[in-house]
Each structure stands twice: as C-alpha cells, then as structure tokens.
Amino acid sequence: MANVHHMTRKYGGLSGTFSEQLEGFAEYAKEAADEIFKSVVIQVGSSLINLSPVDTGRFLANWQFSINSTSNASLDETDQMGDKTLARFVKEVGALTYGQTAYVYNNLSYAKPLEYGHSRQAPSGMVRITMARFKEIVERAVKEIADQ
C-alpha cells in the first residue's frame, strides 16, 4: 500500500475554493511551525537538564526559559531529579510561538566552569553536547509533527 503524504490526508478531500484551501493550508503550516518550534525548545531544555551534573540540585534547577529577552536572575531552588525543572520549562514553553526568540540559559556563576569540564559527571558539558545533537533534535521534532 502506498504511503500517503500527511498533507494529502489532511487536504486531499477538501472542497471549496482554491483560496479557502490555501487559507487552510496556511493555518495548518503556522500551527505545525509553532508545534515544531516548541518541540525543539523542549527537547533542547530536556537535554540540558538531563545532562546536568547534580550535587545539591541547584544548578539543574537553574535552567531557565524565556521569550524574546533574558533575565540576570538565578533561582533559589533545588531539583535533584530534574522533573520539577522540566515541568516548569514545558509549561513556560507553551506560550512560545514561531517567530519569537527562545532563550534557554543558566545564570549561576559556576555554569561556565561546569560546561567546560569542571564536573566529572559532565566532563563534556551540556550545551556543547546538546548543540552537537541539534540537527537530530530538529529532524525528530519535524517527524513527530508530520506523523500526527
């Protein structure tokens, strides 16, 4: 059986004017771009959280997300497992739309030394590993949305 393209499944049987079909496609494309963008940012954040070394859990809890600007603040929280941090991160990413600038950052003074090998738990860092996987992260997000 031939594999039907997801666009054909979604729009192949539509009736109406061509401009209505184009409007429908444009709306679908915008929604897909939003979802892909959110998925990429969540996967990047998840990777950083999961790769973070854990002593007190403060470094892990200080991975932050913001839209269009950053903050210089650090958080007075700890998270040994990363579940609270990831849940907060995912919730905040929910407000993101394609075209905005997403920031993922950690403002603790020892973030840079940890990134460059100061921890035996993360000798190759977190950001460098995540960025090396970025193409794979984007491809996975696109495939997930296309398969829906």
Side-chain angles (χ1 to χ4, degrees):
M1 184 168 159
N3 187 11
V4 178
H5 191 273
H6 70 279
M7 298 301 285
T8 303
R9 281 195 309 269
K10 185 151 181 95
Y11 295 105
L14 290 180
S15 60
T17 67
F18 181 66
S19 64
E20 289 171 341
Q21 291 177 6
L22 282 177
E23 287 173 15
F25 174 74
E27 182 60 30
Y28 170 79
K30 181 187 176 312
E31 290 173 9
D34 282 348
E35 293 306 311
I36 291 167
F37 189 31
K38 288 177 187 178
S39 178
V40 167
V41 173
I42 289 169
Q43 288 182 54
V44 165
S46 179
S47 177
L48 295 170
I49 291 165
N50 289 329
L51 292 169
S52 293
V54 178
D55 183 11
T56 65
R58 185 159 188 248
F59 177 73
L60 190 151
N62 264 272
W63 283 111
Q64 299 179 61
F65 168 79
S66 64
I67 299 171
N68 292 335
S69 65
T70 61
S71 164
N72 292 327
S74 60
L75 307 175
D76 191 25
E77 299 177 19
T78 60
D79 184 1
Q80 291 282 323
M81 303 302 292
D83 53 340
K84 294 185 291 186
T85 304
L86 185 57
R88 173 180 39 86
F89 195 90
V90 169
K91 181 179 178 186
E92 292 170 353
V93 170
L96 183 64
T97 58
Y98 183 76
Q100 294 178 309
T101 302
Y103 290 94
V104 181
Y105 55 97
N106 193 315
N107 287 327
L108 292 179
S109 61
Y110 51 91
K112 197 171 198 173
L114 287 178
E115 175 63 29
Y116 289 98
H118 192 69
S119 168
R120 281 185 250 164
Q121 292 179 39
S124 298
M126 296 114 330
V127 175
R128 291 174 295 155
I129 291 172
T130 300
M131 294 317 302
R133 296 177 181 161
F134 189 72
K135 181 179 177 191
E136 173 189 323
I137 289 170
V138 172
E139 289 172 348
R140 183 177 17 201
V142 169
K143 182 171 177 7
E144 288 171 1
I145 301 306
D147 288 346
Q148 290 180 355

